[in-house]
């Protein structure tokens, strides 16, 4: 794919990410104890580095980040499955979820959508575009069956994804699913699945808390 297309798409993502940060300004400041400018600047630096390195590594491995076509049906089925399972978990253990993420009590529905967009862009770039191909590249130096290298790279990436979320095993499982979607269909379908898997339960919890 033309480098200009890569640049334009990722710049668009950064703009959406910054817009989400601005919407979530009170929540982010409360979480990070920093100014919104510092938060956005740090985020842009981290995401930009992850994008640049991820593209370089993926090109070496011939992993296609942006696919010309993808299996829409598979994306819908996996997205619906993840959303329904996640909503069920949030419904069953809403009190525990609020203990893990107390800021959820203060979110509006708009905040919940912005948070879902932010997570989908930020985490797919870091864990799928950058970390997964990086682990695959490192594993190529060891005597490992080439058919297993991608699976192991996805597993290692998902471990880090799980460690960065409350409820490790659930997040780890979602990480594996998102790695599969990314590898099979590319970045955009993985972001779509991630967005709906978060937005469904976030909106549910927000509406339940606000009594709307």
């Amino acid at each position: 794919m033309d480098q200009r297309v890569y640049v334009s798409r990722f710049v668009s993502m950064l703009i959406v990410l910054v817009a989400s940060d601005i919407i979530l300004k009170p929540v982010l400041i409360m979480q990070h104890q920093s100014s919104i400018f510092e938060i956005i600047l740090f985020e842009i630096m981290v995401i930009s580095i992850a994008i640049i390195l991820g593209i370089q590594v993926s090109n070496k491995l011939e992993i296609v980040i942006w696919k010309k076509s993808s299996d829409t049906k598979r994306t819908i089925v996996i997205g619906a499955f993840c959303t329904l399972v996640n909503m069920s978990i949030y419904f069953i253990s809403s009190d525990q979820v609020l203990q893990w993420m107390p800021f959820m009590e203060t979110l509006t529905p708009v905040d919940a959508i912005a948070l879902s967009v932010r997570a989908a862009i930020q985490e797919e770039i870091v864990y799928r575009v950058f970390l997964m191909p990086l682990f695959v590249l490192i594993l190529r130096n060891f005597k490992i069956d080439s058919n297993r290298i991608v699976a192991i790279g996805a597993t290692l990436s998902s471990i880090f994804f799980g460690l960065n979320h409350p409820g490790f095993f659930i997040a780890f499982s979602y990480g594996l699913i998102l790695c599969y979607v990314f590898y099979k269909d590319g970045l955009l379908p993985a972001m779509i699945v991630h967005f709906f898997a978060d937005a469904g339960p976030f909106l549910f919890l927000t509406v339940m808390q606000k009594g709307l």
Side-chain angles (χ1 to χ4, degrees):
M1 182 179 288
D2 192 318
Q3 287 295 108
R4 288 173 297 180
V5 177
Y6 266 122
V7 171
S8 64
R9 288 183 178 180
F10 281 118
V11 167
S12 299
M13 286 184 183
L14 286 174
I15 292 170
V16 173
L17 196 59
V18 170
S20 300
D21 287 345
I22 292 170
I23 292 171
L24 292 166
K25 178 181 174 180
V27 176
L28 295 176
I29 290 174
M30 181 178 69
Q31 279 187 303
H32 299 284
Q33 299 296 309
S34 302
S35 70
I36 192 64
F37 175 77
E38 291 172 325
I39 293 168
I40 291 174
L41 183 61
F42 178 76
E43 188 173 64
I44 289 174
M45 287 174 58
V46 171
I47 297 302
S48 297
I49 292 169
I51 289 169
I52 293 167
L53 294 179
I55 290 173
Q56 296 301 317
V57 175
S58 295
N59 286 343
K60 284 185 180 181
L61 298 171
E62 298 183 351
I63 294 175
V64 181
I65 295 174
W66 295 102
K67 299 204 173 185
K68 292 181 180 179
S69 62
S70 59
D71 190 329
T72 304
K73 183 178 179 181
R74 177 166 54 207
T75 301
I76 293 171
V77 170
I78 293 175
F81 170 77
C82 291
T83 303
L84 290 173
V85 171
N86 227 7
M87 287 184 71
S88 300
I89 292 169
Y90 273 56
F91 177 75
I92 294 168
S93 56
S94 58
D95 290 339
Q96 189 173 6
V97 170
L98 289 172
Q99 286 179 355
W100 287 339
M101 299 184 290
F103 63 87
M104 291 294 295
E105 293 183 310
T106 66
L107 296 186
T108 66
V110 173
D111 292 336
I113 292 172
L115 185 62
S116 304
V117 169
R118 185 176 187 266
I121 295 174
Q122 189 184 69
E123 294 179 351
E124 290 311 306
I125 289 174
V126 172
Y127 293 102
R128 257 59 74 179
V129 172
F130 173 57
L131 271 187
M132 179 183 162
L134 178 64
F135 282 128
V136 172
L137 183 65
I138 293 170
L139 288 166
R140 288 178 65 180
N141 297 313
F142 298 90
K143 294 181 179 179
I144 301 173
D145 184 353
S146 59
N147 293 325
R148 297 180 181 177
I149 287 178
V150 173
I152 298 171
T155 301
L156 292 172
S157 168
S158 300
I159 288 172
F160 279 87
F161 183 72
L163 290 171
N164 197 42
H165 290 77
F168 170 82
F169 290 107
I170 294 170
F172 170 74
S173 300
Y174 279 124
L176 287 176
I177 293 171
L178 290 166
C179 283
Y180 172 80
V181 175
F182 169 71
Y183 187 72
K184 287 289 187 180
D185 296 315
L187 177 60
L188 184 59
M191 284 184 170
I192 291 170
V193 171
H194 194 145
F195 168 77
F196 282 106
D198 281 351
F202 286 176
L203 282 170
F204 164 76
L205 203 59
T206 302
V207 170
M208 187 177 71
Q209 286 296 88
K210 300 295 181 182
L212 298 178

